[in-house]
Amino acid sequence: MIDLKKLEVWFATGSQHLYGPETLAQVAEHSKEIADFFNKSAQIPVTVVFKPVLKSPEEITNLCIDANSSRNCIGIITWCHTFSPSKMWINGLKILNKPILHLHTQYNQNLPWSEIDMDFMNLNQSAHGDREHGFIMTRLRINRKVVVGHWKEAEVQERIGVWTRAAAAWYDFQNMKVARFGDNMREVAVTEGDKVEAQIKFGLSVNTFGVGDLVKIVNSVSNNDIDALLKEYDQTYDVAKDGQQGGKYYENVRYQARLEIALRKFLTEGGFGAYTNTFEDLNGLAQLPGLASQRMMASGFGFGAEGDWKQSALVRALKVMGHGLNGGCSFMEDYTYHLDPSGPKALGSHMLEVCPTIASDKPRLEVHPLGIGGKDAPARLVFNTPAGPAINTTLVDMGNRFRIITNSLDCVIPDEKMPKLPVASALWIPQPDLKTSAAAWIYAGGAHHSAFSQAITAEFIEDFAEMAGVEFLHIDKDTCVSQFKKELQWNEMYYMLAKGL
């Protein structure tokens, strides 16, 4: 469902005719070598395409026009090997609607101390060529990422890789369709939002479908298809005895398989990347999708419970960013706390829908009554999450703008076993600590739903937010509540004034 290599980032080098054909030939040779190196880098998952050296306003403008119209181009890496007068870039940059990464590097890593002459100086001018280039983007108020260092450095490749993954998610976001089966949970504020503004700002197309539209497909699923999927369950999970053939919950497991097949058919044929449902609107369904939603997320779809379309889209974005990396991503909810003064922790979970890509071991397939909604007991996967760094990210509608909040976390192993907990869960210590983190999150208006990932860091989300042009707040080890409150106040003023700039 996710193929990053089919997406392209164009490598564009700035220069000018002043330097003559011999120097420009060297610029092109070096630029192509760097682009080819990036294209083969394990840290950069997309295809990096070398573009001819840009030497005039016309060439720059034409490149930007071509990038805008290319279906596969998700962004441009710019670099000025020599001096590239920034006025040449104005018209092109004004119309460019793809993300930009400004790479500040030079071809050689070290100075050739005993051989350096003016020919070398004329060729290797990025130290001041990129400052001219940077000025015009700042003057034009263009959001971009600046990466500094030699192009062969691992850190440089890693940071470019982060940006390309964010650009891939932004590309996906702008073309995403989100299906809502029913409305959001009644009387809940944070799952609401302006879907028209979301489409204007992000490109998201969010529409509601009656649960009956899904029920028609559910009822048409064949027993043969269900049998085949049950074999996959048996091979993939530790299926509880009462959920196996002959057990009292076997038919409940079969129904989740029926739901999964129907959901996959509806979403795939409709071109949807994410979806929502709610336990308050299950008319015609015997169960709330549990195992079905877990497996849909595992295959790359975004999901939001209780009609939370914003987090559904965000989960999909994090799935794209983290594709192929170690660690998974899931819809998540801060559920309950361990408030022991010696080590406060948060337990994240949900009624059913936690993605098995974050499981620390082989998930166990179990069936338990839900306790709410008045429907049959749904099957679900139960597991814990491995220790290690993670993030929680949420997208909220502030009325006058969208805001993305990210909290860096340290996942830990539970202090004791939880044999009676019938759902998947993750235990973490939020940075800098639970009290500070929770206070900052609440001051920022963060939702109780989030997208959780152990594959990516806050840097990915920051790059994504800059591409989208939305507010980004990061709660990390250095967060101080009093300073964070001031940041919220400054941001309120900035985003109000920025609309008039």
Side-chain angles (χ1 to χ4, degrees), residues 178-383:
V178 181
R180 302 172 70 226
F181 295 111
D183 204 351
N184 65 304
M185 185 177 175
R186 290 186 282 276
E187 303 293 351
V188 177
V190 78
T191 56
E192 294 281 5
D194 189 335
K195 295 186 285 294
V196 172
E197 185 61 26
Q199 187 156 1
I200 293 170
K201 189 67 179 176
F202 300 120
L204 292 175
S205 173
V206 184
N207 287 291
T208 300
F209 296 85
V211 178
D213 295 331
L214 179 62
V215 170
K216 291 178 183 177
I217 303 176
V218 169
N219 293 339
S220 69
V221 173
S222 73
N223 285 325
N224 287 340
D225 287 342
I226 294 173
D227 291 339
L229 191 53
L230 287 177
K231 289 181 181 178
E232 184 177 334
Y233 293 172
D234 289 337
Q235 295 169 357
T236 309
Y237 312 117
D238 177 16
V239 181
K241 188 173 182 180
D242 59 10
Q244 297 176 14
Q245 190 166 10
K248 69 174 182 177
Y249 285 133
Y250 178 65
E251 290 301 322
N252 299 59
V253 177
R254 288 186 65 85
Y255 191 76
Q256 283 292 322
R258 180 182 291 275
L259 285 175
E260 179 186 341
I261 294 166
L263 277 167
R264 195 174 300 278
K265 178 179 175 64
F266 184 100
L267 298 175
T268 302
E269 292 183 355
F272 296 98
Y275 73 102
T276 70
N277 56 33
T278 173
F279 64 88
E280 288 183 329
D281 191 355
L282 296 174
N283 188 30
L285 296 179
Q287 298 176 23
L288 175 66
L291 172 64
S293 288
Q294 290 177 296
R295 284 179 50 85
M296 293 299 289
M297 273 191 284
S299 61
F301 288 94
F303 171 79
E306 293 133 33
D308 196 342
W309 55 270
K310 297 186 295 300
Q311 310 320 320
S312 173
L314 195 61
V315 168
R316 165 66 184 184
L318 268 65
K319 290 280 186 185
V320 173
M321 288 187 224
H323 181 68
L325 298 178
N326 292 327
C329 166
S330 178
F331 174 77
M332 188 59 70
E333 179 173 88
D334 289 79
Y335 221 102
T336 191
Y337 293 138
H338 177 67
L339 292 178
D340 187 331
S342 66
K345 305 176 181 72
L347 184 68
S349 186
H350 205 257
M351 292 187 301
L352 298 171
E353 310 95 347
V354 179
C355 180
T357 60
I358 66 170
S360 59
D361 46 20
K362 188 175 184 178
R364 181 171 170 80
L365 196 161
E366 301 178 4
V367 179
H368 300 278
L370 190 58
I372 57 176
K375 294 291 182 178
D376 292 344
R380 81 288 306 270
L381 299 174
V382 180
F383 52 84

Side-chain angles (χ1 to χ4, degrees), residues 62-82:
N62 287 337
L63 178 87
C64 293
I65 292 171
D66 291 343
N68 286 346
S69 60
S70 171
R71 294 186 63 86
N72 292 333
C73 176
I74 62 171
I76 294 178
I77 298 174
T78 63
W79 169 50
C80 293
H81 193 321
T82 63

Side-chain angles (χ1 to χ4, degrees), residues 139-186:
R139 176 68 177 81
L140 292 171
R141 274 61 174 184
I142 293 175
N143 289 340
R144 77 279 191 192
K145 183 170 189 172
V146 178
V147 175
V148 181
H150 191 257
W151 49 281
K152 286 188 176 180
E153 289 179 28
E155 181 190 0
V156 168
Q157 296 172 64
E158 289 169 5
R159 296 198 67 210
I160 293 174
V162 168
W163 176 83
T164 62
R165 289 177 174 277
W170 175 233
Y171 171 84
D172 186 77
F173 218 68
Q174 293 174 89
N175 298 279
M176 192 189 307
K177 294 169 63 180
V178 181
R180 302 172 70 226
F181 295 111
D183 204 351
N184 65 304
M185 185 177 175
R186 290 186 282 276

Side-chain angles (χ1 to χ4, degrees), residues 409-421:
L409 317 170
D410 294 298
C411 288
V412 295
I413 301 301
D415 298 14
E416 300 179 28
K417 291 184 178 180
M418 299 177 284
K420 294 184 179 181
L421 187 66

Side-chain angles (χ1 to χ4, degrees), residues 320-495:
V320 173
M321 288 187 224
H323 181 68
L325 298 178
N326 292 327
C329 166
S330 178
F331 174 77
M332 188 59 70
E333 179 173 88
D334 289 79
Y335 221 102
T336 191
Y337 293 138
H338 177 67
L339 292 178
D340 187 331
S342 66
K345 305 176 181 72
L347 184 68
S349 186
H350 205 257
M351 292 187 301
L352 298 171
E353 310 95 347
V354 179
C355 180
T357 60
I358 66 170
S360 59
D361 46 20
K362 188 175 184 178
R364 181 171 170 80
L365 196 161
E366 301 178 4
V367 179
H368 300 278
L370 190 58
I372 57 176
K375 294 291 182 178
D376 292 344
R380 81 288 306 270
L381 299 174
V382 180
F383 52 84
N384 292 323
T385 303
I391 58 169
N392 258 342
T393 299
T394 192
L395 173 63
V396 293
D397 185 345
M398 298 301 296
N400 63 342
R401 67 188 184 279
F402 289 97
R403 168 182 285 171
I404 296 177
I405 309 161
T406 297
N407 188 188
S408 294
L409 317 170
D410 294 298
C411 288
V412 295
I413 301 301
D415 298 14
E416 300 179 28
K417 291 184 178 180
M418 299 177 284
K420 294 184 179 181
L421 187 66
V423 289
S425 63
L427 187 69
W428 62 74
I429 301 172
Q431 295 182 13
D433 56 73
L434 193 148
K435 289 183 178 180
T436 302
S437 142
W441 189 277
I442 289 170
Y443 276 121
H448 61 287
H449 290 160
S450 59
F452 170 92
S453 177
Q454 290 187 304
I456 67 173
T457 65
E459 183 181 1
F460 291 74
I461 309 301
E462 183 175 8
D463 286 353
F464 178 84
E466 286 186 347
M467 294 171 191
V470 299
E471 181 183 10
F472 171 75
L473 296 168
H474 184 198
I475 304 168
D476 64 359
K477 61 183 177 61
D478 298 319
T479 296
C480 166
V481 170
S482 61
Q483 191 66 26
F484 190 80
K485 289 166 67 178
K486 292 176 184 177
E487 183 179 354
L488 293 173
Q489 292 171 337
W490 297 333
N491 286 6
E492 198 69 47
M493 184 63 68
Y494 167 80
Y495 282 99

Side-chain angles (χ1 to χ4, degrees), residues 13-20 22-27 30 79-85 106-108 111-112 115-130:
T13 305
S15 187
Q16 58 177 321
H17 285 292
L18 175 68
Y19 300 106
E22 184 177 341
T23 297
L24 289 175
Q26 287 182 282
V27 169
H30 291 169
W79 169 50
C80 293
H81 193 321
T82 63
F83 196 79
S84 182
Q106 61 184 30
Y107 178 74
N108 59 296
L111 286 173
E115 299 177 3
I116 188 169
D117 56 17
M118 272 321 293
D119 287 340
F120 180 91
M121 298 284 274
N122 284 333
L123 175 62
N124 298 283
Q125 297 189 52
S126 56
H128 64 285
D130 275 325

